Amino acid sequence: MAINMKGKNLISINDLSKEEVAQILETAEIMKLRHYSHEEQPLLKGKVLGMIFQKPSLRTRVSFEAGMIQLGGAAIYLGPEDIKLGQREATKDIAQVLSRYVDGIMARTFSHEIILELANYSSVPVINGLSDLLHPCQILGDLLTIKEKKGRLSNLKLAYLGDGNNVAHSLLFGVVKVGMDIVLATPSNYEPKSEIVEQAKKDAKKMGSRVEIIHNPLEAADKADIIYTDVWTSMGFEKERDIRKNVFRPYQINQDLVNRAKDDVLILHCLPAHRGEEITDEVIDGPHSVVIDQAENRLHAQKAILALLL
Ligand code: CP
Ligand code: NVA
């Protein structure tokens, strides 16, 4: 039976039950099929999504906006210079006023607290389009990609190499909801936040899957079904770029590392990629890479999220 998710926020995958995650993925699969058979899906006719961006974006902005249009609605882009979030007026005022104009708010912020505050004061659903802590919509698109390519989500080993950042945090929450094993290899002092790891481990126990945080990139890649990486320097951390380039060098996804994984390994990257840093051209352009399909699936996963919540 369908679970009613209308009016809910999507701040963290951790707030979703495993049944809700499954429902989002199944809805996305149906919407993708219909999209490819050119069926109109005016599920959000007349509805409007407000999109607040404190940081740049290609995928998130365009896939949400295109998704709303494809569902018969519209989206309004509010960039850093438009509403000057955190500078021009109180976040709670923005949340309350926007709620009178739009049917949903998607926000990409620096601090995660801003997303929480928007959700707290908004009377329409708030969707996290990336904060310094989490990137849930990315991981829902990624799970859709893995399901398509592997035909299943459980009993797979995902190796994440690099920074214990927003993407790593949401991956931890996401993969344990579907019974996937995850090994995260990061340099010391760049591990994911311990409270997120502990929460993911609790879910993993229930699902019979494994969460491991290690420092050895080769061990992580060993017999992996999926290798995932992200930039070493996330938006907002640009001052640390030179230090990070040195610290993270052993965590690069190159051909030698890929050779340690299973023969049918999938290479994922949320993009944008810093080619030659966290991933080589050979690997990102190589036969195992699914990064463009992965980017496409943001559209389908988010259309499902929008149709279910708005
Ligand atoms: N992966 C992702 O969120 O890309 P953008 O920063 O371009 O939105
Ligand atoms: N971790 C990256 C993800 C970009 C989509 C960042 O926050 O910049």
Side-chain angles (χ1 to χ4, degrees):
M1 218 193 46
I3 308 161
N4 184 1
M5 297 174 72
K6 288 274 176 252
K8 277 193 83 156
N9 299 317
L10 176 48
I11 308 295
S12 168
I13 298 186
N14 191 44
D15 301 334
L16 301 173
S17 66
K18 66 179 190 333
E19 290 79 14
E20 286 172 328
V21 170
Q23 174 161 280
I24 291 171
L25 298 179
E26 282 158 23
T27 306
E29 284 167 334
I30 297 167
M31 296 185 107
K32 185 170 180 177
L33 275 174
R34 291 193 180 145
H35 179 74
Y36 274 96
S37 52
H38 304 286
E39 270 178 66
E40 280 194 27
Q41 303 178 80
L43 297 168
L44 297 179
K45 198 162 183 289
K47 296 211 170 167
V48 178
L49 180 73
M51 308 193 299
I52 300 173
F53 281 89
Q54 282 193 313
K55 296 172 175 171
S57 169
L58 170 67
R59 281 144 290 270
T60 306
R61 182 199 168 164
V62 180
S63 56
F64 266 107
E65 190 163 339
M68 282 302 294
I69 294 168
Q70 290 171 14
L71 292 172
I76 300 173
Y77 172 76
L78 301 163
E81 290 308 310
D82 294 317
I83 60 170
K84 292 199 181 288
L85 185 69
Q87 295 171 48
R88 190 164 175 262
E89 59 189 312
T91 303
K92 64 177 175 185
D93 293 344
I94 294 176
Q96 293 179 89
V97 171
L98 264 183
S99 296
R100 301 289 175 98
Y101 301 142
V102 300
D103 304 281
I105 298 171
M106 191 276 290
R108 165 167 290 194
T109 62
F110 287 99
S111 103
H112 187 65
E113 280 60 41
I114 293 182
I115 305 251
L116 294 176
E117 200 179 351
L118 284 170
N120 207 6
Y121 288 96
S122 161
S123 55
V124 298
V126 171
I127 300 171
N128 180 354
L130 179 147
S131 66
D132 282 350
L133 189 71
L134 298 170
H135 197 4
C137 297
Q138 176 67 51
I139 277 44
L140 290 163
D142 300 342
L143 293 177
L144 180 63
T145 309
I146 297 168
K147 198 173 171 206
E148 275 177 4
K149 305 283 176 190
K150 292 282 183 198
R152 66 182 195 284
L153 286 169
S154 56
N155 299 319
L156 292 169
K157 174 184 173 182
L158 185 147
Y160 175 94
L161 274 74
D163 191 15
N165 61 15
N166 43 12
V167 168
H169 289 151
S170 285
L171 253 184
L172 276 165
F173 283 149
V175 300
V176 296
K177 294 275 180 201
V178 298
M180 199 182 290
D181 294 335
I182 181 164
V183 182
L184 251 121
T186 72
S188 297
N189 302 321
Y190 294 93
E191 294 91 353
K193 284 191 185 299
S194 55
E195 53 277 25
I196 290 185
V197 175
E198 288 321 309
Q199 182 58 49
K201 281 188 172 166
K202 271 192 211 153
D203 269 10
K205 212 168 180 183
K206 281 188 234 153
M207 296 294 290
S209 62
R210 186 164 59 102
V211 172
E212 263 189 81
I213 312 297
I214 62 173
H215 295 119
N216 185 337
L218 303 179
E219 190 186 328
D222 194 44
K223 297 193 181 59
D225 296 287
I226 301 132
I227 296 179
Y228 196 125
T229 192
D230 182 16
V231 291
W232 293 338
T233 304
S234 286
M235 293 178 277
F237 294 81
E238 287 80 5
K239 276 196 200 126
E240 299 175 19
R241 185 153 187 193
D242 289 342
I243 300 172
R244 285 172 170 264
K245 261 169 113 170
N246 279 325
V247 174
F248 282 94
R249 194 157 292 142
Y251 296 82
Q252 185 188 61
I253 313 296
N254 51 38
Q255 197 54 48
D256 283 347
L257 190 114
V258 173
N259 291 343
R260 304 181 75 95
K262 288 200 182 146
D263 292 341
D264 60 351
V265 64
L266 297 178
I267 307 297
L268 272 76
H269 190 312
C270 57
L271 304 179
H274 292 159
R275 288 166 172 257
E277 290 185 23
E278 75 276 2
I279 192 160
T280 59
D281 282 330
E282 186 184 14
V283 172
I284 199 169
D285 298 328
H288 296 285
S289 171
V290 295
V291 300
I292 304 301
D293 292 335
Q294 183 187 356
E296 175 186 335
N297 278 336
R298 292 289 304 278
L299 172 71
H300 308 296
Q302 288 161 193
K303 279 167 74 177
I305 293 165
L306 290 164
L308 288 163
L309 302 189
L310 262 55

